[in-house]
Amino acid sequence: MIQKYEILKTVFGHDEFRSFQEEAVDSILHQKDVLMILPTGGGKSLCYQLPSLMMPGVTVVVSPLLALMHDQVMALKANGIKAEMMSSMQTGEELDLIRYDLLSGELKLLYIAPERFSAPLFLDLLRQVRINFFVIDEAHCVSEWGHEFREDYRKLHLLRENFPNIGIAAFTATATPKVQIDISNALRLNTPKEIRGKIFRENLHISVEPRIKDGKSQLLEFLKNFKNDSGIIYAFSRKQTESLAEFLQNKGIKALPFHAGLPNHVKAETFRKFVHDEIQVVVATIAFGMGIDKSNIRFVVHMSLPKTIENYYQEIGRAGRDGLDSEVLLLSSGSDMMMQREFIEQLEDSPYKQNAFNKLELISRYTGAEACRHQYIASYFEDKLEDCESKCDNCTAPEVEKTDISVQAQKLLSCVYRTGQRFGQSYVIDVLRGSTVEKILSNEHDKLSVYGIGKDLSKPYWDVVMERLMEIGALKRGDFRALMIDTIGMQILKKEVNVEIKSDRLNVKAKKEYKSHTQDVDLNTEAFESLRSLRAEIAKKEGKPAYIVFGDKTLKEMANALPADEEEMLAINGVGEVKFERYGEQFLSRCIELKT
Ligand code: ADP
């Protein structure tokens, strides 16, 4: 099947398939059901777009978010492929035209939202069309065990029931094996070809830091490395997104907030500005991002603990889709965990609730992990990773100095034990530090042997020790936030287990410097900036985001190669024939100018 390599080069501009892509393409061409789990940026779209071009008929793609569909359709059109979407955003007239194109066999790909299936007439419409195969994007939304369950997705079994002979290809970036089985069952997949890519995102450099106060000074320090680069900052609440965006604006950074409470037109405008590089940073709640296809996001920061590893992995996955080095930073503190726990506690008792507690526990343990971050994530998804090759804070600083805090830990645990495992963090630390507050005196806790044994150390110091004990599971919170000692805690008390902590955490006021992992030493910066401004001009004229014209990766390759003719230009990864026809001449003459 030579044709597929030809299409790969001429339409998409790529020289070769990436890992796992060809397997997926071949299975679809053989009309087999497919379930593919590949990290964000792995190149899932190509796996169904390419076979679609090789098969007669239209491919119907179910996708959960309008923004995602819009982006995909735009990118396909830029490559000269006839694609459309049907959504509630379009006028009746526009929808009529698309229906007409669909019925007359003009379309190659049709993107639709899952709620379309609630209308019986929609299935009738599909029955009149020659469909080559169905695609379910973000397929984890079908599973209650996943992290983004969507009721509408449950209806997708209708596809198999109504079109038993048409293949279904399901794609997601995040699915544990349990979710994988759920997807397969819910969509009634027929012994699907299961393709599980490596979870490891090798171009993401991960750091996790304990948040100092509100984390603003850590954030500013981090942002120093990203003068012109796009990034997303996730904050916990709507209010926080607004105050943080304002804080950054006052520091001269082009930032806007984004959350579900903003009017639609404001959200759409912020989204547009971000995609078009008119602002640098979006400070958002998790309402932002699902489906965002902007390929040149260079950093993602979490200002507090995400709900689950799946959420976190998906959110950081938005960085570096173009394969270039990107940085992600998570700032969290023990109080985040408490807050999340309280949310979950308000849910009705159910297996779902227990599941949520477990997931929270695992993400919290991740923040305290002192071994490889990538390895931790991989093992969460039941994947194996030998070594991240210095792509996380723990692996780049294996020689970090550690302090043994076993004695302090024993004092603290013993205080929790002596006060009856009925009190919260502040109270226990007050007893340790010999406070004379009324409550301690009336409980007669000033008479305990542990009273005042920690007064040589400050309260923030004890907070850090407490946090470390939570991270390693020695302490947990029971009802009313009362601290309770777990098995590991008992072992520490009995001096069977030692407790260590990175020394710099005990220096509670220290400011940390962030080393950049995204600076490109080999890049011809002058040429890149010149090509970038040409790209911006064209994008503006066409009303498209810059990366739809050419992605950063393509532009960087072009800047370094400075092609001198059509052939050399077509050899650049990401320059296909249609793109060359549209933009080739302009970029070529700029490259020739730059060369002389
Ligand atoms: P996903 O949907 O898995 O997150 P995308 O389909 O958006 O990933 O692809 C991510 C990026 O990888 C895009 O910029 C795309 O052009 C690029 N890409 C996909 N396949 C290839 C390939 N075979 N060679 C080079 N780049 C590719």
Side-chain angles (χ1 to χ4, degrees):
M1 241 186 281
I2 313 247
Q3 204 196 347
K4 69 183 174 195
Y5 301 111
E6 216 174 283
I7 295 181
L8 181 66
K9 182 67 197 158
T10 55
V11 179
F12 295 95
H14 304 316
D15 292 324
E16 49 190 31
F17 284 109
R18 286 193 181 151
S19 314
F20 309 106
Q21 283 183 325
E22 195 166 5
E23 231 176 311
V25 167
D26 288 344
S27 306
I28 292 176
L29 288 173
H30 288 108
Q31 322 223 326
K32 266 192 80 62
D33 285 353
V34 171
L35 174 49
M36 183 179 215
I37 296 141
L38 197 67
T40 313
K44 289 183 284 296
S45 337
L46 184 116
C47 296
Y48 61 85
Q49 289 169 356
L50 192 147
S52 169
L53 300 183
M54 294 176 64
M55 295 161 86
V58 59
T59 305
V60 176
V61 185
V62 182
S63 178
L65 262 200
L66 294 181
L68 175 70
M69 292 194 246
H70 183 255
D71 241 54
Q72 294 267 356
V73 169
M74 195 161 49
L76 283 164
K77 285 183 173 170
N79 278 329
I81 300 167
K82 195 102 176 82
E84 291 294 349
M85 63 188 268
M86 286 180 119
S87 78
S88 48
M89 300 250 287
Q90 285 135 304
T91 62
E93 227 164 70
E94 284 169 333
L95 287 173
D96 280 347
L97 274 176
I98 294 167
R99 246 179 241 119
Y100 177 81
D101 280 351
L102 178 68
L103 291 168
S104 55
E106 288 283 312
L107 290 187
K108 258 340 296 181
L109 289 115
L110 175 68
Y111 284 76
I112 53 168
E115 54 268 21
R116 293 263 135 189
F117 288 99
S118 307
L121 283 180
F122 185 68
L123 285 172
D124 284 344
L125 174 69
L126 292 186
R127 275 193 206 94
Q128 298 168 54
V129 183
R130 178 163 187 187
I131 296 169
N132 44 26
F133 61 98
F134 289 105
V135 172
I136 316 295
D137 208 2
E138 310 285 352
H140 58 274
C141 293
V142 95
S143 170
E144 275 183 295
W145 299 110
H147 57 294
E148 275 165 341
F149 173 58
R150 288 181 55 127
E151 202 64 50
D152 293 331
Y153 260 61
R154 276 288 180 205
K155 293 209 182 76
L156 293 181
H157 59 85
L158 285 173
L159 290 179
R160 181 52 22 102
E161 282 155 19
N162 284 274
F163 305 92
N165 299 320
I166 297 181
I168 299 177
F171 295 87
T172 173
T174 39
T176 57
K178 187 172 178 174
V179 172
Q180 187 175 339
I181 294 170
D182 215 15
I183 295 172
S184 187
N185 291 338
L187 296 176
R188 315 271 192 274
L189 298 187
N190 188 3
T191 53
K193 171 84 184 167
E194 297 191 345
I195 305 169
R196 242 187 124 81
K198 283 268 161 234
I199 290 293
F200 181 33
R201 287 284 314 273
E202 58 193 4
N203 63 326
L204 293 191
H205 189 280
I206 303 182
S207 302
V208 183
E209 293 290 330
R211 190 178 59 240
I212 300 169
K213 295 192 186 144
D214 57 11
K216 281 183 182 156
S217 57
Q218 286 162 291
L219 178 65
L220 280 184
E221 196 54 40
F222 178 80
L223 291 180
K224 276 189 191 162
N225 289 323
F226 301 94
K227 289 273 181 289
N228 287 314
D229 296 317
S230 303
I232 306 176
I233 298 170
Y234 285 107
F236 182 70
S237 66
R238 295 177 179 190
K239 217 170 109 201
Q240 256 172 16
T241 64
E242 292 184 1
S243 67
L244 204 52
E246 196 182 320
F247 167 77
L248 293 176
Q249 284 160 11
N250 290 335
K251 298 282 173 194
I253 295 168
K254 286 187 195 157
L256 283 177
F258 189 106
H259 58 74
L262 291 169
N264 281 340
H265 69 276
V266 175
K267 281 191 290 191
E269 185 56 7
T270 302
F271 193 84
R272 192 196 63 74
K273 283 185 170 160
F274 184 57
V275 166
H276 286 79
D277 295 331
E278 287 171 26
I279 53 170
Q280 190 195 350
V281 173
V282 171
V283 188
T285 56
I286 51 167
F288 181 77
M290 186 176 173
I292 181 159
D293 213 8
K294 184 174 162 63
S295 66
N296 62 343
I297 296 175
R298 286 278 78 79
F299 64 89
V300 169
V301 180
H302 284 86
M303 297 300 287
S304 62
L305 187 73
K307 276 197 291 199
T308 67
I309 295 274
E310 279 113 317
N311 283 110
Y312 173 68
Y313 182 67
Q314 185 117 32
E315 283 149 19
I316 62 172
R318 287 165 193 146
R321 289 177 84 116
D322 51 13
L324 297 176
D325 283 342
S326 307
E327 295 247 6
V328 302
L329 170 68
L330 162 58
L331 300 175
S332 79
S333 91
S335 59
D336 297 346
M337 162 95 168
M338 271 158 40
M339 217 144 51
Q340 305 260 20
R341 262 196 96 87
E342 277 165 20
F343 274 127
I344 302 173
E345 256 149 23
Q346 288 160 15
L347 301 174
E348 266 176 46
D349 281 336
S350 68
Y352 178 80
K353 182 173 177 176
Q354 195 47 51
N355 191 33
F357 275 129
N358 295 344
K359 287 185 176 200
L360 180 61
E361 183 79 38
L362 289 168
I363 179 90
S364 159
R365 216 174 279 164
Y366 168 80
T367 62
E370 297 197 356
C372 176
R373 308 271 179 208
H374 285 281
Q375 229 169 33
Y376 188 104
I377 297 173
S379 83
Y380 179 86
F381 290 107
E382 299 182 32
D383 191 11
K384 279 202 180 65
L385 176 70
E386 290 296 320
D387 183 5
C388 82
E389 292 179 359
S390 308
K391 295 292 169 49
C392 77
D393 51 356
N394 287 340
C395 292
T396 40
E399 74 290 1
V400 288
E401 199 188 309
K402 298 214 174 145
T403 304
D404 189 306
I405 50 164
S406 306
V407 173
Q408 291 89 329
Q410 283 150 15
K411 286 183 181 173
L412 199 151
L413 289 166
S414 155
C415 188
V416 172
Y417 187 77
R418 300 268 169 216
T419 49
Q421 307 190 57
R422 290 186 294 120
F423 297 92
Q425 179 156 342
S426 302
Y427 186 90
V428 170
I429 293 176
D430 279 350
V431 174
L432 264 182
R433 300 189 70 243
S435 154
T436 50
V437 295
E438 176 54 32
K439 196 170 165 198
I440 291 182
L441 303 181
S442 65
N443 284 330
E444 299 197 346
H445 284 156
D446 55 331
K447 309 237 159 54
L448 295 176
S449 57
V450 288
Y451 181 72
I453 55 168
K455 61 168 170 280
D456 54 328
L457 294 167
S458 68
K459 184 171 179 314
Y461 185 99
W462 283 114
D463 281 334
V464 174
V465 176
M466 183 82 81
E467 200 159 287
R468 182 79 193 122
L469 289 176
M470 301 250 192
E471 283 165 11
I472 59 173
L475 273 179
K476 61 179 187 190
R477 286 178 199 280
D479 293 342
F480 308 108
R481 298 183 179 192
L483 294 164
M484 300 202 309
I485 304 173
D486 224 329
T487 323
I488 304 173
M490 291 315 288
Q491 289 168 334
I492 295 168
L493 265 179
K494 288 191 227 151
K495 302 190 183 161
E496 291 167 4
V497 171
N498 287 338
V499 187
E500 282 193 328
I501 189 165
K502 286 186 195 161
S503 306
D504 66 348
R505 290 181 65 181
L506 294 169
N507 184 6
V508 272
K509 287 203 184 73
K511 196 164 146 188
K512 180 174 154 89
E513 278 202 357
Y514 291 95
K515 210 170 119 258
S516 166
H517 298 272
T518 57
Q519 309 289 332
D520 225 333
V521 260
D522 296 328
L523 178 68
N524 178 347
T525 324
E526 193 200 337
F528 178 66
E529 289 306 331
S530 169
L531 294 173
R532 178 140 91 167
S533 67
L534 172 62
R535 179 180 68 174
E537 272 168 39
I538 297 176
K540 194 157 188 196
K541 217 182 295 161
E542 297 194 352
K544 284 180 189 155
Y547 62 82
I548 294 284
V549 176
F550 284 125
D552 275 8
K553 200 172 179 175
T554 303
L555 221 58
K556 286 187 175 176
E557 201 181 318
M558 205 184 284
N560 282 355
L562 291 179
D565 54 28
E566 177 173 349
E567 194 186 338
E568 283 179 23
M569 183 60 101
L570 281 169
I572 303 280
N573 211 344
V575 185
E577 279 173 3
V578 172
K579 287 247 175 115
F580 181 81
E581 211 167 281
R582 286 196 187 147
Y583 314 118
E585 289 301 334
Q586 298 176 69
F587 279 88
L588 202 51
S589 44
R590 180 65 61 97
C591 286
I592 292 166
E593 251 169 57
L594 284 163
K595 220 170 183 165
T596 50

